[in-house]
Amino acid sequence: MKNIVLIGFMGTGKSTIAHCLSEVYGYEVLEMDEEIVRREGMSIPDLFETKGESYFRNLETSLLIEMQSRRGMVISCGGGAALREKNVEEMKKNGKVVLLTAQPETILERVKDDENRPLLKGNKNLEFIQDLMEKRREKYEAAADIMLAVDGKCVQDICSEMMELLGMENTLKEKR
Ligand code: S3P
């Protein structure tokens, strides 16, 4: 089975949903951020600080290319991965790209105690989140094969809605 690539703003639930897809449908999870941290031996804030954002973005591109030789993966991308055209190109070669969306209020609630997102450092307020989301919207939407709003839904429902939209539910359940 082809890979599923999850994109969307920080806090839209990409990781949680990836793990649910793994449990219910048998996908293997690749957490891009986690994998980069593991390989580089450095946290995301430290990577941004010492090597710079574009170094980090290049690592994202390489990882997306690497995953093309794998099957049955759900790739949970960092929130900025889909902003680069080259990354989107490489995402599409992996399989279907799914954009998760959420209201800024939902995002703020989820990220408010998190210290691991350098872009939100000192910016944990609705106005900043709304503004950054708006700036990214066009690129996110252009990258997506399907879009899914997550507000007020439980993880299981989001996963089954996604598989239905992708027309993949039945095929995959047989694999369990
Ligand atoms: C980023 C999102 C983060 C992480 C980095 C940059 C972004 O991932 O890759 O902090 O530019 O939106 P999450 O979406 O998993 O928080």
Side-chain angles (χ1 to χ4, degrees):
M1 57 195 179
K2 281 205 144 193
N3 298 336
I4 293 179
V5 182
L6 300 181
I7 62 168
F9 202 80
M10 294 167 264
T12 46
K14 299 173 296 262
S15 304
T16 311
I17 291 164
H19 284 97
C20 180
L21 288 174
S22 163
E23 267 170 41
V24 182
Y25 299 94
Y27 279 92
E28 192 181 327
V29 180
L30 175 85
E31 285 274 3
M32 293 234 295
D33 285 352
E34 254 178 39
E35 186 61 18
I36 289 173
V37 166
R38 198 181 62 77
R39 291 186 187 186
E40 295 293 302
M42 212 186 268
S43 72
I44 306 270
D46 287 349
L47 267 173
F48 267 62
E49 177 133 1
T50 59
K51 307 234 171 146
E53 182 169 347
S54 66
Y55 177 84
F56 174 79
R57 300 292 177 206
N58 290 338
L59 296 175
E60 291 184 317
T61 310
S62 313
L63 209 42
L64 284 166
I65 295 173
E66 194 182 316
M67 287 306 121
Q68 289 161 13
S69 60
R70 310 269 294 267
R71 288 287 169 271
M73 304 287 299
V74 54
I75 304 169
S76 171
C77 296
L83 303 175
R84 257 198 190 185
E85 211 173 308
K86 168 79 175 151
N87 282 354
V88 175
E89 224 174 83
E90 303 305 339
M91 282 176 192
K92 302 253 182 216
K93 293 184 200 160
N94 270 287
K96 293 288 182 194
V97 180
V98 179
L99 172 63
L100 302 177
T101 66
Q103 294 301 315
E105 290 79 2
T106 307
I107 304 286
L108 181 60
E109 183 53 35
R110 292 182 182 176
V111 302
K112 68 180 192 313
D113 300 319
D114 186 287
E115 294 308 323
N116 214 21
R117 291 175 164 115
L119 299 178
L120 295 179
K121 198 174 169 201
N123 293 321
K124 287 191 196 118
N125 59 75
L126 266 188
E127 203 188 341
F128 180 86
I129 290 171
Q130 242 155 4
D131 194 51
L132 186 57
M133 244 185 193
E134 208 42 56
K135 282 188 186 132
R136 290 180 168 192
R137 181 194 301 277
E138 203 181 332
K139 285 191 172 151
Y140 279 157
E141 292 183 357
D145 292 307
I146 63 164
M147 302 204 293
L148 202 56
V150 303
D151 306 273
K153 296 176 189 165
C154 75
V155 183
Q156 283 79 4
D157 288 350
I158 296 168
C159 288
S160 41
E161 192 181 335
M162 185 188 307
M163 296 310 265
E164 245 168 68
L165 284 170
L166 291 171
M168 286 161 82
E169 197 179 38
N170 296 329
T171 340
L172 285 166
K173 278 194 174 150
E174 283 162 19
K175 199 187 159 279
R176 280 164 81 184

